[in-house]
């Protein structure tokens, strides 16, 4: 999967020219992206957004990190001359020096989408429509389906890890009663059934009244628990977010939740073709315990934060694109399963809410408060998910939320936790989670 | 740079990259073909905390070059976008159902007041100096306050577009965008987004004062449920205008507006005049042509309270007539109809001070720390707000954790006066408003979230 078009050894030599201090970190990040998107069939803006949309891009960035500061130069395309130009732009010493252009290397061309791959994208709306009908529901489906392919290669003066490739899918439905979105490791009948489940449930709850503002017990199904953990654990334990309130390493050893709560990030076990051996800085990923039995163990760190903090481990550096510097982000969250069946969790949450979907989440990094927008839920009565309630927000402080964890389910589901857009860098996030029981959580209309 | 005059009918020629792609797609049987190329460069300066008492910074310089082609034949079409120079493909993507109809060319007048396009980008020392200056000024304006995060983007781009219908246009854009986050002495927070035609138009003192004002009001207390007069400063008023965009943007806007109109067909007070002006003098998104190479213009969408038209890609009943209201945020995405500089027209005769004098008892709302919720079908809205309670024309106390709420129809009818202090904010495009004096609404405490 050689795609960078430049000889990696020559790139590494060129990078070593601008690292003129021992503590300097320099690297080159190359990416090749392809998105194939099928817009909704009944899109009124079709005159502007026709048929199948195909986007292909390639480019790179050269970066120098020194003493809490970084310089990055990115370019579209993969030309030797523009690489040298970017190198010169980042160099702090002798910016007018003559840097030699790295030799060209053979490129594996990006193959066009095969007939099978195209058919899978085109077939998905029909599969979802059929699955919705099988649930005895009917409503107009405005479904956008996209296939995403991302090739990444990082080169540094002392390290040239192998290239990485991610392939995954996204679906989005703009319905009059709300927007639904999901990330999928693969398309097909099982994925269509999952999307149809979610769409049908939201359709049937579309006229339900929101619950009253209150503090209630809540059981979050795996997909909803994934979003909650992404906001309240992963974001809260990113080194740059922790630095807003003090030294990131000071969080290590702090008890944040009950012993039932063990949360990891493991990019190596990300589902389908999204698993990674190295991060977007070319460093090996690890199976990272964010919380082990409720205690903070290893916050998420990229190389720069690991160097600054000393006790943090790198390997969680991710980039939304080549124009942005990497930052500490999660890739695939895992919540260690407990022993409770879903029925046990529901039985313990009488009068509370059973939440299967979260439309979006947000953590206010400065205040430590999170918000989850819930499109609908079900009231728990007699130990079962009963009548539907309409849109509301779950909110609270991270500390308060984690303290209120009262049970963890035993059946784990793998799914996309959704797109994360921290700092404007949009990245897919995955999760393997069971259901989660919160003894008390604040509900806002 | 002004757009080239159209030379319709133009047999496509392969004398440049765009022409070669155009010819290639026509030779594949596509009747409607458009090729768009964009190149740009930008510098991003980011300041972030490295711990409780130290800041770090990133400097990122990007050079972008990409292109896109749209092509249609009968009822099918395709969209293809890629980095680099426009290049004919050996295998174009499969054309799928969806008819593409491109606009006919129209001659565009040159853009006036475009001197900002030639402003050089900020050098590294200037960019980082601007962010440090804001941090210093903020500490001086409000002791104990600190700038927690800051990001400045300063960029310029050139675009060229050719189509099989003879559109051949070039245009340039120049824009600086700033995002600031600050923490007050009591832990309260503020977020500020600003844009300008170039980086040197951003002044640290003025930005720091706006942040300090936000932090001062953020430390306020939630109000009791209350009514009265509400004076909204432009930052809060622009959020209201943004919430009402579905009444004037996109297909179905007229029907949405019609549901809120009275028997005389009026949407609201005669003071509601809403304009979209792609040529607003000196504005960051001002351009002679839109994203399809069609001349931009000043379009009155709501005139003295009455609906006039919505922003759409094609004129109603004229499928090949562009409207000059098509936006193209990047080469990666197909164009869509949307606002450029959309604003509620100010009243040049009215000062903010005179508006404030008219508030005997009520609220002066300086800022809206979020987008709010606008249900145009259910006829309700709520907007998070911060400001001051006014008694006898004087600020009595700071108010925060509050929301301004009521019926959308009451909002439209309750506009009693407006000022001359039109300001634009980067919301959906650039949305502008002067200070607004409103009645018939309520302020409520907002649960902390």
């Amino acid at each position: 999967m050689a795609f960078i078009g430049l000889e990696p050894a020559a790139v590494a030599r060129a990078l070593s020219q601008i690292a003129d201090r021992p503590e300097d970190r320099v690297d080159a990040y190359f990416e090749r992206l392809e998105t194939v998107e099928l817009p909704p069939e009944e899109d009124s803006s079709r005159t502007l957004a026709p048929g199948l949309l195909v986007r292909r891009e390639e480019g790179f960035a050269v970066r120098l990190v020194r003493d809490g500061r970084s310089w990055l130069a990115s370019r579209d395309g993969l030309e030797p001359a523009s690489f040298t130009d970017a190198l010169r732009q980042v160099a702090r010493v002798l910016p007018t020096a003559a840097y030699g252009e790295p030799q060209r290397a053979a490129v594996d061309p990006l193959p066009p989408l095969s007939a099978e791959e195209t058919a899978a994208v085109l077939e998905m709306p029909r599969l979802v429509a059929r699955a919705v009908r099988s649930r005895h529901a009917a409503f107009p489906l405005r479904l956008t389906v996209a296939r995403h392919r991302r090739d990444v290669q990082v080169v540094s003066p002392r390290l040239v890890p192998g290239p990485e490739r991610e392939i995954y899918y996204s679906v989005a439905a703009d319905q009059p009663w709300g927007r639904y979105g999901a990330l999928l490791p693969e398309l097909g009948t099982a994925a269509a059934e999952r999307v149809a489940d979610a769409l049908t449930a939201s359709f049937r709850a579309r006229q339900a009244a929101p619950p009253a503002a209150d503090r209630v017990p809540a059981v979050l199904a795996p997909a909803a628990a994934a979003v909650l953990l992404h906001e309240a654990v992963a974001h809260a334990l990113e080194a740059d977010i922790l630095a807003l309130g003090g030294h990131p390493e000071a969080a290590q050893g702090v008890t944040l939740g009950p012993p039932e709560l063990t949360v990891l990030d493991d990019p190596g076990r990300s589902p389908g073709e999204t698993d990674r051996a190295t991060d977007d800085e070319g460093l090996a990923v690890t199976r990272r315990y964010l919380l082990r039995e409720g205690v903070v163990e290893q916050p998420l760190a990229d190389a720069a934060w690991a160097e600054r903090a000393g006790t943090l481990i790198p390997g969680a550096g991710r980039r939304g694109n080549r124009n942005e510097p990497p930052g500490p982000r999660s890739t695939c969250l895992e919540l260690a399963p407990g022993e409770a069946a879903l029925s046990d969790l529901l039985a313990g949450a009488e009068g509370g809410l059973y939440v299967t979907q979260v439309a979006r989440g947000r953590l206010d990094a400065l205040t430590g408060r999170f918000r989850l927008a819930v499109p609908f839920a079900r009231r728990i009565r007699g130990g079962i998910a009963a009548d539907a309630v309409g849109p509301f927000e779950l909110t609270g402080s991270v500390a308060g939320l984690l303290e209120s964890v009262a049970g963890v389910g035993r059946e784990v589901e793998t799914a996309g936790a959704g797109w994360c857009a921290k700092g404007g860098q949009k990245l897919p996030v995955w999760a393997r989670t069971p259901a989660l029981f919160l003894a008390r959580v604040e509900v806002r209309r | 740079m002004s757009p080239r005059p159209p030379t319709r009918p133009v047999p496509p020629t392969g004398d440049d990259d765009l022409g070669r792609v155009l010819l290639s797609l026509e030779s594949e049987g596509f009747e409607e073909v458009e090729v768009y190329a964009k190149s740009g460069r930008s510098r991003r300066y980011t300041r972030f905390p490295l711990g409780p008492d130290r800041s770090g910074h990133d400097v990122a310089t990007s050079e972008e070059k990409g292109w896109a082609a749209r092509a249609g034949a009968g009822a099918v079409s395709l969209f293809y976008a890629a980095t680099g120079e426009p290049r004919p493909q050996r295998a174009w993507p499969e054309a799928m159902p969806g008819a593409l109809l491109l606009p006919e060319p129209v001659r565009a007048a040159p853009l006036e007041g475009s001197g900002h396009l030639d402003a050089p980008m900020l050098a590294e020392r200037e960019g980082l100096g601007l962010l440090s200056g804001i941090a210093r000024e903020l500490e001086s304006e409000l002791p104990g306050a600190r700038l927690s995060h800051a990001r400045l983007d300063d960029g310029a781009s050139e675009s060229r577009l050719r189509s099989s219908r003879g559109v051949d246009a070039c245009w340039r854009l120049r824009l600086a965008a700033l995002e600031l986050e600050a923490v007050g002495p009591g832990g309260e927070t503020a977020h500020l987004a600003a844009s300008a035609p170039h980086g040197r138009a951003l002044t640290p003192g003025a930005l720091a004062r706006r942040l300090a004002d936000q932090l001062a009001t953020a430390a306020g207390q939630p109000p009791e449920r209350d009514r009265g007069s509400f004076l909204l400063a432009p930052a809060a008023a622009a959020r209201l205008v943004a919430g009402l965009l579905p009444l004037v943007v996109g297909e179905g806007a007229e029907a949405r507006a019609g549901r809120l109109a009275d028997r005389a067909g009026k949407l609201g007070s005669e003071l509601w005049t809403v304009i979209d002006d792609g040529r607003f003098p000196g504005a960051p998104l001002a351009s002679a042509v839109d994203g399809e190479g069609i001349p931009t213009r000043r379009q009155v969408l709501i005139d003295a309270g009455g609906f006039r038209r919505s922003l759409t890609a094609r004129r109603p009943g004229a499928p090949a007539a562009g409207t000059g209201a098509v936006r193209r945020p990047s080469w990666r995405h197909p164009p869509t109809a949307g606002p450029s500089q959309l604003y509620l027209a100010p009243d040049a005769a009215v000062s903010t001070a005179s508006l404030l004098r008219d508030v005997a008892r009520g609220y002066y709302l300086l800022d809206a720390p979020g987008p709010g919720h606008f249900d145009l079908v259910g006829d309700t809205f709520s907007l998070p707000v911060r400001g001051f309670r006014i008694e006898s024309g004087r600020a009595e106390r700071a108010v925060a954790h509050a929301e301004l709420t009521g019926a959308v129809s009451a909002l439209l009818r309750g506009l009693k006066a407006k000022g001359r202090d039109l300001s634009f904010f980067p919301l959906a495009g650039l949305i502008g408003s002067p200070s607004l004096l409103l009645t018939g609404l309520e302020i409520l405490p907002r649960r902390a979230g």
Side-chain angles (χ1 to χ4, degrees):
Chain A
M1 193 186 56
F3 72 92
I4 68 174
L6 305 173
E7 197 56 58
V11 170
R13 278 196 301 278
L15 290 170
S16 68
Q17 287 182 272
I18 62 168
D20 56 295
R21 293 188 191 174
E23 72 277 14
D24 282 352
R25 167 175 291 278
V26 288
D27 59 24
Y29 166 86
F30 298 87
E31 69 178 3
R32 182 165 70 173
L33 310 171
E34 184 189 63
T35 307
V36 177
E37 183 179 306
L38 181 68
E41 231 170 70
E42 293 174 15
D43 193 333
S44 62
S45 62
R46 263 304 179 79
T47 51
L48 299 179
L52 200 64
L53 283 70
V54 177
R55 285 190 285 276
R56 287 179 165 184
E57 53 185 294
E58 56 187 18
F60 69 90
V62 175
R63 180 179 65 133
L64 166 66
V65 184
R66 175 183 294 172
D67 190 27
R69 295 171 293 170
S70 81
W71 294 266
L72 179 143
S74 62
R75 298 287 187 277
D76 284 353
L78 299 170
E79 293 299 322
S82 57
F83 179 80
T84 307
D85 187 44
L87 203 66
R88 193 175 292 121
Q89 206 158 36
V90 163
R92 296 294 95 192
V93 175
L94 294 177
T96 55
Y99 298 107
E101 288 181 9
Q103 302 94 314
R104 286 185 184 273
V107 174
D108 294 336
L110 194 62
L113 211 60
S114 70
E116 295 77 22
E117 290 166 326
T118 308
V121 173
L122 300 182
E123 185 64 7
M124 188 64 178
R126 284 192 281 272
L127 288 177
V128 173
R130 192 181 305 154
V132 167
R133 275 198 305 277
S134 75
R135 286 159 175 75
H136 307 292
F139 46 87
L141 264 182
R142 299 193 68 251
L143 204 65
T144 301
V145 183
R147 176 189 191 271
H148 308 266
R149 179 160 59 180
R150 177 174 182 247
D151 293 339
V152 170
Q153 167 81 67
V154 179
V155 178
S156 68
R158 281 171 287 189
L159 187 70
V160 184
E164 299 270 2
R165 171 170 287 174
E166 297 170 18
I167 298 176
Y168 57 95
Y169 302 85
S170 63
V171 296
D174 279 308
Q175 308 295 130
W177 51 90
R179 184 178 166 80
Y180 166 80
L183 291 175
L184 303 165
E186 57 188 12
L187 296 181
T189 307
E193 293 288 338
R194 178 177 288 188
V195 172
D197 260 343
L199 288 174
T200 309
S202 72
F203 169 70
R204 289 187 169 137
R206 70 194 183 283
Q207 288 176 328
D214 200 355
R215 287 179 62 79
V216 299
V219 175
L220 274 62
V227 181
L228 179 76
L229 293 172
H230 174 74
E231 298 298 333
V233 176
H235 277 319
L237 293 180
E238 289 163 347
D240 55 343
I241 299 293
L242 290 168
L244 292 170
H247 296 289
E249 63 274 26
Q252 290 176 291
V254 172
T255 299
L256 271 188
E260 296 93 315
L261 203 59
T262 292
V263 182
L264 304 94
D265 179 54
D266 190 352
R269 276 176 37 97
S270 198
E273 293 183 75
T274 66
D275 58 313
R276 298 285 298 262
T278 57
D279 69 355
D280 289 342
E281 295 184 288
L283 300 175
V285 299
T286 60
R287 189 165 164 78
R288 181 185 305 260
Y289 280 82
L290 301 174
L291 291 178
R292 193 194 289 264
E293 296 178 358
V295 179
V296 177
E297 187 165 305
Q298 262 303 330
L300 293 156
D302 58 10
W305 280 106
E307 265 173 31
R308 280 176 209 131
T311 58
L312 302 186
I313 299 172
R318 298 186 74 188
R319 307 187 195 224
N321 58 64
R322 58 193 171 278
N323 303 319
E324 307 269 2
R329 307 275 285 267
S330 66
T331 300
C332 182
L333 282 182
E334 289 183 26
L335 170 60
E339 294 175 354
L342 179 61
S343 55
D344 299 334
L345 298 179
L346 292 173
E350 184 61 24
L353 296 167
Y354 178 51
V355 179
T356 55
Q357 283 181 41
V358 173
R360 61 189 176 279
R362 183 173 183 272
L363 173 73
D364 185 329
L366 292 171
T367 62
R369 293 188 70 86
F370 70 89
R371 279 183 189 178
L372 301 181
V374 181
F376 66 92
R378 292 197 169 271
R379 184 72 68 187
I380 300 169
R381 295 188 200 283
I384 59 166
D387 47 315
V389 295
F392 60 94
E393 277 188 3
L394 292 179
T395 184
S397 70
V398 169
L401 170 93
L402 296 179
E403 275 173 15
S404 80
V405 171
V408 179
R410 66 185 178 210
E411 291 98 9
V412 173
E413 283 184 18
T414 301
W419 294 107
C420 170
K422 177 188 167 192
Q425 293 205 50
K426 188 176 169 185
L427 285 167
V429 186
W430 306 91
R432 292 171 194 277
T433 54
L436 192 62
F437 173 30
L438 304 173
R440 280 281 180 277
V441 63
E442 188 175 336
V443 169
R444 261 189 57 170
R445 293 179 70 159
Chain B
M1 192 183 297
S2 54
R4 295 180 177 192
T7 50
R8 172 98 174 132
V10 174
T13 56
D15 56 357
D16 62 7
D17 291 332
L18 282 77
R20 279 187 282 279
V21 173
L22 224 150
L23 280 179
S24 158
L25 282 160
E26 288 196 333
S27 70
E28 301 262 340
F30 290 101
E31 302 133 9
E32 303 270 353
V33 183
E34 174 201 81
V35 188
Y36 167 74
K38 181 180 182 183
S39 60
R41 68 231 123 259
S42 64
R43 292 197 185 131
R44 169 172 289 183
Y45 304 98
T46 310
R47 180 186 160 104
F48 54 90
L50 287 175
D53 46 17
R54 196 174 159 225
S55 291
H57 69 240
D58 291 333
V59 179
T61 308
S62 304
E63 290 189 14
E64 171 193 45
K65 188 173 283 188
W67 63 283
R70 291 190 290 168
V76 297
S77 57
L78 64 84
F79 176 89
Y80 180 84
T83 41
E85 305 285 356
R87 195 173 299 167
Q89 300 296 298
R90 268 179 300 180
W92 290 98
E94 190 176 346
M96 301 289 297
L100 175 68
L101 201 56
L102 295 170
E104 294 284 354
V106 180
R107 183 179 294 272
L111 183 68
E112 290 174 11
S114 57
H116 67 280
L117 294 175
D118 295 316
M121 288 203 292
L122 291 176
E124 183 175 320
R125 187 176 293 179
E126 290 176 289
L128 294 174
L130 175 65
L131 301 185
S132 304
I134 295 168
R136 270 197 312 276
E137 295 275 350
L138 177 63
E139 285 164 16
S140 150
E141 281 285 332
L142 187 62
R146 66 185 165 89
L147 189 65
S148 56
H149 198 273
R151 190 169 74 184
L152 168 66
D153 286 286
D154 191 23
S157 69
E158 297 88 37
S159 295
R160 176 145 189 235
L161 184 144
R162 288 185 68 179
S163 82
S164 54
R165 287 186 176 254
V167 175
D168 187 348
C170 302
W171 66 96
R172 295 163 63 192
L173 286 176
R174 180 82 178 82
L175 177 69
L178 182 67
E179 285 205 29
L180 304 171
E181 285 176 4
V183 183
E188 56 280 3
T189 62
H191 177 267
L192 178 67
S195 63
H198 55 83
R200 287 180 192 81
L202 296 162
T203 50
L207 291 159
R209 278 192 293 280
R210 281 174 61 190
L211 269 179
D213 284 347
Q214 281 197 28
L215 289 170
T217 53
Q221 295 299 310
E224 298 289 323
R225 183 175 191 144
D226 199 4
R227 289 178 162 274
S229 298
F230 297 96
L231 177 59
L232 274 68
R239 287 278 193 189
L240 282 183
V241 176
L244 298 174
L245 283 182
L247 296 179
V248 288
V249 177
E251 307 289 336
E254 187 166 4
R256 288 188 287 274
R259 281 196 287 269
L260 291 167
D262 63 17
R263 286 181 187 172
K266 288 276 188 186
L267 271 172
S269 155
E270 298 221 332
L271 296 173
W272 280 98
T273 292
V274 176
I275 297 163
D276 183 68
D277 190 349
R279 292 172 167 256
F280 196 91
L285 299 181
S287 171
V289 294
D290 73 352
E292 292 187 311
I294 300 302
T296 54
R297 60 198 171 111
R298 183 176 184 272
Q299 302 197 53
V300 178
L301 309 174
I302 297 176
D303 189 9
F307 178 88
R308 282 269 293 272
R309 66 168 64 88
S310 59
L311 288 177
T312 52
R314 300 284 179 269
R315 287 191 194 155
T323 60
V326 169
R327 308 288 152 235
R328 207 152 194 159
S330 96
W331 52 266
R332 293 176 180 83
H333 300 97
T336 54
S340 50
Q341 281 87 205
L342 185 145
Y343 61 98
L344 197 158
D347 186 339
V350 180
S351 69
T352 309
S354 70
L355 289 174
L356 196 52
R357 278 196 297 273
D358 289 344
V359 183
R361 189 188 161 283
Y363 295 83
Y364 184 21
L365 304 174
L366 295 180
D367 172 39
H373 176 73
F374 289 76
D375 179 354
L376 302 178
V377 176
D379 193 14
T380 62
F381 84 97
S382 67
L383 183 72
V385 287
R386 299 195 283 220
F388 294 96
R389 185 181 151 83
I390 303 292
E391 198 73 56
S392 306
R394 299 174 69 93
E396 190 190 46
R397 62 180 169 85
V399 169
H401 312 295
E403 56 187 46
L404 182 68
T405 185
V408 175
S409 50
L411 163 65
L412 291 165
R413 288 176 190 125
L415 178 57
K416 299 301 177 196
K418 56 187 180 179
R420 60 181 170 220
D421 52 344
L422 173 64
S423 302
F424 284 94
F425 299 87
L427 297 167
L430 285 174
I431 305 297
S433 177
S435 293
L436 303 181
L437 183 61
L438 294 155
T439 60
L441 304 173
E442 272 191 322
I443 194 166
L444 303 174
R446 188 164 193 254
R447 278 175 175 259

